[in-house]
Amino acid sequence: MNDNLIVAKQRDLWFDNAKGFLMITVVIGHLITNLVNTFDVFAFWSNYIYFFHMPVFAFLSGYLLKGRIQRRDYVAVINKTLVPYLAAQLLIYLCGITLPHGVRAISVGRLYYSGLFSFLFPIYHLWYFWGIIIAFVFCIIVKAEKNPVRAFIISVILSLVSGFPEPVELLRLSKVLGFLPFFVLGTIFTKPQIEFLKNKKALIIPAVVVIVSSGVCLWNFRESGSLKFIFGMNTSYWDYPFDLNIFEALGARFGFVAVAFLMVFAILALCPK
């Protein structure tokens, strides 16, 4: 019995390795931020990291959210998302108003919309909590477990449409909807499909081809500075770089979403177990 309990509590190292790798890329991405406009090589690595790290994160979060969607486990989702979000938001706000130059250093401007303190405007990466919450609600509303293809198509449409208006800062809704397809794809992925991704050695060569090809393409844009305006999903099509017209900007987002899907599978296929 004790042996069974020990086995049941064992973590899946494949998920841990994937998340650990992504956390490292996040740290590197932020460390080189101030060097992007100075050295082309850092602009390349910044673009490359932002090209895949949030899509893979969202996919993994969606997959791990799958069971709670099926059980309609609202309490667990609130405890694991809304509660830590409110705590972190409050902590950052208190640091911002108490530390010397805190408002400038921590950028708490989002907390002062209409002159009122509000928890509805996430600071920094706290938007990700709302991404999980909205993906949870979205999948329940559209019955993603029964109609996965329909749910995925709707999420892609919402992602593309969210780029037309100016960014909606409320709940960072523009950014959340932009990455929604990756969350949804994770929720509709089955365990056999994940196991196939883990164990199929035949995927290694295609994965390497996708990763290297993407890197070569992004290397050609290294002198253009940061492409986070596109990859960050929080910029209106009207403000895209390279003077793209609205149709070209729409195509750029669609292309990013499509290739990022391939990158999700490529990164995870190479992740060790």
Side-chain angles (χ1 to χ4, degrees):
M1 186 178 198
N2 291 333
D3 291 340
N4 292 334
L5 288 175
I6 292 174
V7 172
K9 292 182 179 179
Q10 284 183 341
R11 297 182 64 89
D12 189 326
L13 297 183
W14 183 76
F15 284 105
D16 286 346
N17 288 335
K19 289 185 286 185
F21 168 70
L22 294 172
M23 291 175 188
I24 292 172
T25 63
V26 170
V27 173
I28 294 174
H30 285 283
L31 283 175
I32 64 177
T33 296
N34 293 330
L35 301 173
V36 166
N37 295 322
T38 306
F39 302 99
D40 291 345
V41 66
F42 289 111
F44 162 74
W45 282 114
S46 178
N47 290 336
Y48 198 47
I49 288 171
Y50 275 84
F51 184 66
F52 70 83
H53 79 300
M54 287 315 306
V56 182
F57 257 132
F59 175 86
L60 292 176
S61 294
Y63 181 77
L64 297 175
L65 190 64
K66 182 183 183 74
R68 294 194 170 94
I69 293 172
Q70 294 171 341
R71 297 190 301 270
R72 303 294 193 268
D73 197 347
Y74 299 97
V75 175
V77 172
I78 290 174
N79 287 337
K80 291 184 176 294
T81 56
L82 193 57
V83 172
Y85 165 76
L86 294 175
Q89 187 91 342
L90 177 61
L91 177 62
I92 294 175
Y93 170 74
L94 293 176
C95 290
I97 63 176
T98 57
L99 295 177
H101 308 294
V103 172
R104 183 180 64 184
I106 302 178
S107 302
V108 295
R110 286 196 178 93
L111 297 178
Y112 293 101
Y113 275 79
S114 302
L116 298 174
F117 172 74
S118 175
F119 282 102
L120 299 179
F121 298 89
I123 300 175
Y124 296 147
H125 294 81
L126 298 185
W127 69 269
Y128 196 79
F129 286 109
W130 285 109
I132 295 174
I133 294 171
I134 291 174
F136 176 78
V137 174
F138 172 83
C139 288
I140 290 176
I141 291 175
V142 302
K143 296 180 173 60
E145 68 272 20
K146 294 182 180 179
N147 302 285
V149 175
R150 184 183 68 180
F152 179 67
I153 291 174
I154 294 174
S155 70
V156 171
I157 293 173
L158 288 175
S159 177
L160 297 177
V161 170
S162 67
F164 284 100
E166 288 299 313
V168 179
E169 294 295 339
L170 178 68
L171 305 184
R172 299 297 294 278
L173 195 59
S174 295
K175 194 176 187 73
V176 169
L177 292 179
F179 284 105
L180 183 61
F182 300 99
F183 285 103
V184 173
L185 184 64
T187 65
I188 64 180
F189 232 64
T190 64
K191 186 174 182 179
Q193 289 170 332
I194 288 291
E195 292 300 322
F196 178 83
L197 199 59
K198 285 184 186 180
N199 300 309
K200 199 66 174 178
K201 294 182 179 179
L203 295 176
I204 294 178
I205 294 178
V208 171
V209 170
V210 169
I211 291 173
V212 172
S213 299
S214 300
V216 171
C217 291
L218 289 176
W219 179 257
N220 294 325
F221 288 94
R222 66 190 184 281
E223 297 178 357
S224 303
S226 176
L227 294 178
K228 288 187 288 185
F229 293 103
I230 297 176
F231 303 157
M233 295 287 203
N234 198 37
T235 303
S236 168
Y237 292 145
W238 312 102
D239 299 320
Y240 265 28
F242 313 119
D243 296 323
L244 301 179
N245 61 44
I246 191 65
F247 299 106
E248 292 171 335
L250 179 64
R253 172 167 291 195
F254 181 79
F256 162 62
V257 170
V259 180
F261 283 135
L262 297 178
M263 283 292 289
V264 169
F265 300 133
I267 294 294
L268 294 179
L270 296 180
C271 183
K273 296 183 293 184

